[in-house]
Amino acid sequence: MKGFSVKSQELVLNSIEHKKAGRGRFNQEHSVQDCMAIVKTLKNQAFIEQAEITGEYRRFTETIKDFYILAATSNFMEAEKFALNELNLTLNQGLFIGKTNFGVDLALEFCTAEDFFWRLNRSTGSAEFLNKLDFLFKEKNYITSEQSCHFNDEKIIFKSEEDIYSELGLQNIPPELRENPNVIDKAVKAELKPLIEQSDLKGMLHV
């Protein structure tokens, strides 16, 4: 078209490709409120011991495809009944699925309290990150699965995610860094630096 330089055309085409790549994904800041409300409702139930939003949201990706909630329960029967009747979710291959009011796909998983932190870690990291972590466990003769970790035929109960990395002699890896597997190499050498916190911001930022 007249009036569009080659550079302008490239910018427009790049913008179109960027828009296509984001199709089906949502800005997490705008879409998370409904999911947080569900987590709050779960935590208010006597049979729920812990509940967290996990998955790519917990890695703090800028956009998300879906939400994943992990909840520890002392009564699976009551928890399942609540998910079906009160949250209006449907059971599909062990997960309770549905959509938030914002229209984002939602999956809810129940586990025991003793498996909670292992499952939280497994459901947070990217596939590449978890594969590399599993390799380190295997090197030290641990047997890992999506549900548990064993050593010498004994199941290990982790009381925090920090304990998982400590078991391997690693520096703790925050959820936001569990995207790229190369971060594990830095954790081996204790070279990870603290993440920026809200209190570190000393002025106004415009992006």
Side-chain angles (χ1 to χ4, degrees):
M1 294 177 66
K2 282 187 176 182
F4 283 88
S5 66
V6 173
K7 184 66 177 176
S8 295
Q9 292 175 48
E10 289 177 355
L11 288 172
V12 171
L13 289 171
N14 285 338
S15 295
I16 292 171
E17 290 304 314
H18 183 74
K19 190 71 174 178
K20 284 182 178 179
R23 191 175 293 160
R25 298 187 67 84
F26 301 84
N27 180 301
Q28 66 153 266
E29 181 183 2
H30 297 158
S31 57
V32 73
Q33 300 305 320
D34 293 337
C35 194
M36 284 182 169
I38 294 172
V39 170
K40 185 178 180 180
T41 300
L42 284 166
K43 288 181 175 179
N44 287 335
Q45 309 309 310
F47 48 83
I48 298 295
E49 299 179 35
Q50 297 184 79
E52 297 288 345
I53 307 175
T54 182
E56 59 182 357
Y57 169 80
R58 195 160 178 258
R59 298 200 302 273
F60 214 75
T61 54
E62 292 180 1
T63 62
I64 54 98
K65 183 179 180 182
D66 49 32
F67 284 117
Y68 199 106
I69 298 175
L70 179 69
T73 182
S74 55
N75 188 327
F76 280 89
M77 188 175 295
E78 283 295 318
E80 292 178 4
K81 189 188 302 180
F82 185 81
L84 294 170
N85 300 333
E86 301 299 326
L87 299 179
N88 296 316
L89 302 177
T90 58
L91 183 60
N92 185 2
Q93 297 181 342
L95 292 178
F96 294 87
I97 60 172
K99 286 184 180 291
T100 67
N101 292 334
F102 196 83
V104 185
D105 288 339
L106 171 71
L108 168 61
E109 174 191 344
F110 292 114
C111 68
T112 62
E114 69 176 24
D115 291 336
F116 182 78
F117 289 106
W118 179 258
R119 285 297 303 133
L120 187 62
N121 187 72
R122 296 299 299 188
S123 57
T124 297
S126 69
E128 295 81 4
F129 177 89
L130 293 173
N131 285 340
K132 188 160 188 174
L133 199 63
D134 281 344
F135 178 78
L136 293 186
F137 272 112
K138 188 175 181 180
E139 276 192 326
K140 296 178 181 289
N141 297 317
Y142 289 83
I143 298 175
T144 61
S145 69
E146 287 300 310
Q147 304 303 323
S148 61
C149 177
H150 289 77
F151 186 73
N152 288 338
D153 294 327
E154 183 177 341
K155 182 178 179 179
I156 303 175
I157 309 302
F158 295 103
K159 296 182 178 179
S160 69
E161 285 188 298
E162 287 83 353
D163 287 349
I164 296 173
Y165 297 98
S166 177
E167 189 77 20
L168 290 172
L170 298 180
Q171 186 180 7
N172 182 51
I173 303 177
E176 294 91 337
L177 299 183
R178 300 178 198 166
E179 187 79 44
N180 191 322
N182 294 334
V183 74
I184 295 175
D185 296 329
K186 291 187 176 183
V188 169
K189 301 174 185 177
E191 293 179 349
L192 293 180
K193 297 179 181 180
L195 297 181
I196 295 173
E197 302 288 346
Q198 189 77 30
S199 59
D200 295 320
L201 306 181
K202 304 301 183 184
M204 294 178 64
L205 295 180
H206 179 79
V207 180

